[in-house]
Amino acid sequence: MTTQMDPIPFALTGYLDSVAVPGNATGTASWRLTSSPTDCTEEEEAIIPCTTTQPDLAHALLTECQPGDLLRVTGQLALPGTADGSIRLHADTVEILYEAPLSEPPRDEVPADSHGDRNRAIHALAEALTDLASKRTPGEQPDIRINIGPVGINGLDVAHCHSIDVTTATSHKLADIVDALHDSQAPPEDALDPQTLDDLTDCFDSLDLTEIKRTVLKATPPEGRIAVTRALDDMFGDIPVTGIEDTDQ
């Protein structure tokens, strides 16, 4: 039977080896830190697994850090009880000492088949939901979990998956916001379909007003032509009609 040795306080400076991934529990994260002491060779570098159960640290690791960032991690170093066991640093604090250059190209340079814009949208939505979830009445406990992530996820996409726990009251508020957004974008109920408007425009453009006026005047008895002419002029303007005497109009 083996026993785990007592953890010891530890501080480690190193580079984020790969993107952090969410843990099994909400508000947790795991990542690997590459420790490169001064003047060491590549073979002497050590990769230390790290974890945290603090939601604020997990959120920062999952949403703000990327491979190559230089981090200062302090916490408790768990040592294995056997020679073939593994060590793990349970982080209490994480400080970003240096941010690596963005690995994604600027938005206007993202290739058409890249997921850069999708991932930024997921990140922005996760941040907005997290901010909304944090604004709750003291004492309220979350009872609804919202999971967001890319469609068709695989092992490489876990960094873009987020779980946000919210209260029932916050869920109702979020639903009201979505309904308001939908209502602001929906066309009025009495609005005509754009294709119908185009068809009506084409129909009226094809009308020959001169021919319409001539036909109406010919079918109107002489005693009523003056009144009909005035009515037509009010509707369509003064359209001269050939073949009809001025006295008739």
Side-chain angles (χ1 to χ4, degrees):
M1 179 176 178
T2 60
T3 58
Q4 194 82 3
M5 298 180 64
D6 293 335
I8 58 176
F10 198 78
L12 179 65
T13 299
Y15 293 94
L16 187 61
D17 177 69
S18 57
V19 292
V21 297
N24 293 328
T26 302
T28 64
S30 300
W31 69 97
R32 301 191 307 174
L33 208 63
T34 301
S35 176
S36 302
T38 306
D39 299 328
C40 78
T41 64
E42 184 174 347
E43 291 76 13
E44 295 173 323
E45 292 182 343
I47 297 180
I48 310 298
C50 302
T51 63
T52 185
T53 57
Q54 299 189 28
D56 56 339
L57 295 187
H59 178 71
L61 264 298
L62 293 171
T63 62
E64 299 176 11
C65 298
Q66 64 171 350
D69 286 353
L70 181 62
L71 307 178
R72 176 72 171 176
V73 181
T74 61
Q76 302 294 315
L77 186 66
L79 300 176
T82 60
D84 59 352
S86 60
I87 65 174
R88 188 171 298 272
L89 179 58
H90 299 285
D92 296 323
T93 67
V94 176
E95 180 183 1
I96 303 176
L97 302 179
Y98 168 78
E99 294 184 3
L102 292 175
S103 57
E104 292 181 353
R107 181 165 184 171
D108 55 356
E109 298 179 10
V110 175
D113 58 349
S114 171
H115 295 306
D117 188 62
R118 179 205 66 185
N119 295 341
R120 280 190 291 270
I122 292 174
H123 172 66
L125 179 58
E127 278 198 335
L129 291 175
T130 301
D131 290 341
L132 181 63
S134 66
K135 296 177 175 61
R136 63 174 184 261
T137 303
E140 280 188 315
Q141 294 299 319
D143 52 5
I144 296 175
R145 177 166 297 170
I146 300 175
N147 296 313
I148 59 174
V151 174
I153 65 171
N154 53 50
L156 297 178
D157 291 320
V158 291
H160 304 295
C161 298
H162 303 269
S163 295
I164 299 95
D165 292 346
V166 299
T167 63
T168 298
T170 299
S171 297
H172 284 305
K173 183 185 299 184
L174 181 60
D176 291 340
I177 294 173
V178 174
D179 287 341
L181 178 63
H182 174 74
D183 292 341
S184 67
Q185 295 178 344
E189 294 183 359
D190 57 351
L192 292 176
D193 178 75
Q195 184 60 50
T196 302
L197 289 175
D198 291 340
D199 293 342
L200 288 173
T201 300
D202 292 341
C203 177
F204 281 104
D205 287 344
S206 64
L207 295 177
D208 187 341
L209 298 183
T210 301
E211 183 61 31
I212 292 175
K213 194 171 183 178
R214 177 186 296 110
T215 302
V216 171
L217 289 175
K218 284 185 176 180
T220 302
E223 62 274 13
R225 287 184 179 179
I226 294 179
V228 170
T229 299
R230 289 173 179 172
L232 291 173
D233 287 342
D234 289 340
M235 293 178 60
F236 305 117
D238 187 9
I239 303 174
V241 180
T242 56
I244 300 297
E245 298 294 334
D246 291 342
T247 54
D248 293 336
Q249 298 186 42

